[in-house]
Amino acid sequence: MNTAPRGRNLPRVFARRRIAKRTVIQANAYRDSRGARGEGDAGHTRQLTQRRSTRIRVLLVHRSLRAYQDAFQGNGDIMLLQPDSEFFRYLKDSKGGN
């Protein structure tokens, strides 16, 4: 049995094929655009996370320095620290050491 389009049905068949191709092209473009958008959103979220963690670290350092500044307001202030205290570890790390 021959199923090839004939005669008057030929324009309708071609129109349906064009519509089907257009639909496939649009669906593929939509899929690709969603993938690209997802990648862009992921990159943006990664940047925001990095900036936020940097801001938090800066805030914590500032707060620590402010606390030390407030602790040494008088002339006779003394602070006893052990050599392996977090304060000395921080100073060592801030100079590039481990």
Side-chain angles (χ1 to χ4, degrees), residues 14-16 23 25 33 45 48-49 54 64 74 79:
F14 287 142
R16 287 184 187 136
T23 303
I25 290 170
S33 71
T45 301
L48 288 177
T49 302
T54 300
S64 297
M79 183 180 275

Side-chain angles (χ1 to χ4, degrees), residues 40-79:
D41 287 348
H44 179 71
T45 301
R46 190 170 33 258
Q47 288 177 351
L48 288 177
T49 302
Q50 289 171 349
R51 273 193 247 149
R52 180 179 168 89
S53 66
T54 300
R55 286 180 184 162
I56 289 172
R57 284 193 305 263
V58 168
L59 176 63
L60 291 174
V61 169
H62 181 268
R63 200 166 75 182
S64 297
L65 292 176
R66 182 64 120 172
Y68 285 115
Q69 180 183 10
D70 292 345
F72 291 109
Q73 290 296 321
N75 291 336
D77 292 337
I78 296 175
M79 183 180 275

Side-chain angles (χ1 to χ4, degrees), residues 1 3 15 30 33 36-37 39-40 48 54 56 85 89 95:
M1 178 178 203
T3 59
Y30 180 76
S33 71
R37 182 176 179 175
E39 290 171 10
L48 288 177
T54 300
I56 289 172
S85 69
R89 281 195 305 270
K95 294 179 182 179

